[in-house]
Amino acid sequence: MINNSSKIDFGFGLLDSYPFADLADERTQSWPLVSSPWNAAAILFLYLLLVRFGPKWMARQKPLQLRLPLFVYNLLMSMLNAHICLELFTASRALNYSAKCQPCRVSYDPHEMRIATAFWWFYISKILEFADTAFFILRKKWSQLSFLHLYHHSSMFVICWIVVKWIPTGSTFIPALMNSFVHIIMYGYYSLSALGPRLYPYLWWKRYLTRLQLLQFALGLVWGTQAIVSRCEYQPWLSYTGVAYMLSFLFLFGRFYTQKYTRNGTKCIQFVK
């Protein structure tokens, strides 16, 4: 569980006036990188600087292999997502959470705090995932720096900050549970692929990972739609936002899959996270 005395503000502590600040969940406000929106803005700004200037700097350098760092990073990310997934699943089961509709409640019950802590780690994992982009740049994998990749990484980071600040329990556990489960498999795949060409013949199931992502977005769309139709008492604005977000991913990932696998047959390319 996160220590409530921990706090990081990157020097923006005086700029605490922002919309809906009074509605923030009291349990997570002193946790690192949660309290001030300027912390999140600063991290996102640094990420966009990396995207803007990293390729220009690497244009003068030789591409790096980074097999060991890639293996270690992807393995640790798979393990982190496994921890998040397990915590969300076991704690929600212990609280008898409803998969259909679960209102967010401010409770210091140990299992509720486990879920809130898992959401914080989920948020932190989205910061760590910015390393995906850094590795693409250092290896000069320019084709991977697509709009889909950048949109996915930057938007997920912002959404996860919103969740952990305002609604770190309740129905959000369903999409977070699905996403962390998918990332266990994805980062596991990447850790194996980092070991080199000897394992490539055994990694034939790459395209099915994109299908798994599409399934995740389709299930997220159905889940969000039923929450709206049933008028679930759980932040209606989040349900509408989630449905629109899943539609954008279904379109972008669906186009990606069609272009890279259907039209090009068995062409083998790297999928995006």
Side-chain angles (χ1 to χ4, degrees), residues 168-187:
T169 57
S171 280
T172 320
F173 86 97
I174 290 292
L177 188 65
M178 290 192 296
N179 187 260
S180 58
F181 175 76
V182 169
H183 279 69
I184 296 171
I185 301 172
M186 289 177 56
Y187 280 109

Side-chain angles (χ1 to χ4, degrees), residues 8 23 30 34 37 39 59 66 73 117 122 131 192 201 208 232 255 265 268:
I8 299 176
L23 300 178
S30 63
V34 174
N39 294 335
L66 302 175
Y73 164 73
T117 303
F122 190 62
L192 293 175
Y208 296 102
C232 177
R255 185 176 63 176
C268 187

Side-chain angles (χ1 to χ4, degrees), residues 153-184:
H153 278 61
S154 57
S155 61
M156 278 296 294
F157 163 71
V158 173
I159 288 175
C160 288
W161 174 75
I162 292 173
V163 167
V164 78
K165 183 167 182 63
W166 276 280
I167 39 177
T169 57
S171 280
T172 320
F173 86 97
I174 290 292
L177 188 65
M178 290 192 296
N179 187 260
S180 58
F181 175 76
V182 169
H183 279 69
I184 296 171

Side-chain angles (χ1 to χ4, degrees), residues 185-236:
I185 301 172
M186 289 177 56
Y187 280 109
Y189 170 87
Y190 271 100
S191 64
L192 293 175
S193 65
L195 295 177
R198 290 180 297 177
L199 286 182
Y200 290 172
Y202 304 100
L203 300 176
W204 51 268
W205 39 280
K206 179 186 295 185
R207 70 165 59 193
Y208 296 102
L209 293 173
T210 305
R211 292 184 183 181
L212 182 61
Q213 289 176 298
L214 288 169
L215 176 62
Q216 173 197 181
F217 303 140
L219 291 175
L221 176 62
V222 171
W223 177 82
T225 301
Q226 68 83 27
I228 294 172
V229 172
S230 63
R231 298 183 179 181
C232 177
E233 295 181 3
Y234 172 76
Q235 305 293 346

Side-chain angles (χ1 to χ4, degrees), residues 112-133:
E112 289 280 3
M113 293 305 296
R114 284 176 60 197
I115 291 178
T117 303
F119 273 120
W120 182 83
W121 278 112
F122 190 62
Y123 162 59
I124 294 300
S125 75
K126 301 311 172 188
I127 301 176
L128 298 176
E129 284 180 15
F130 288 157
D132 296 345
T133 307

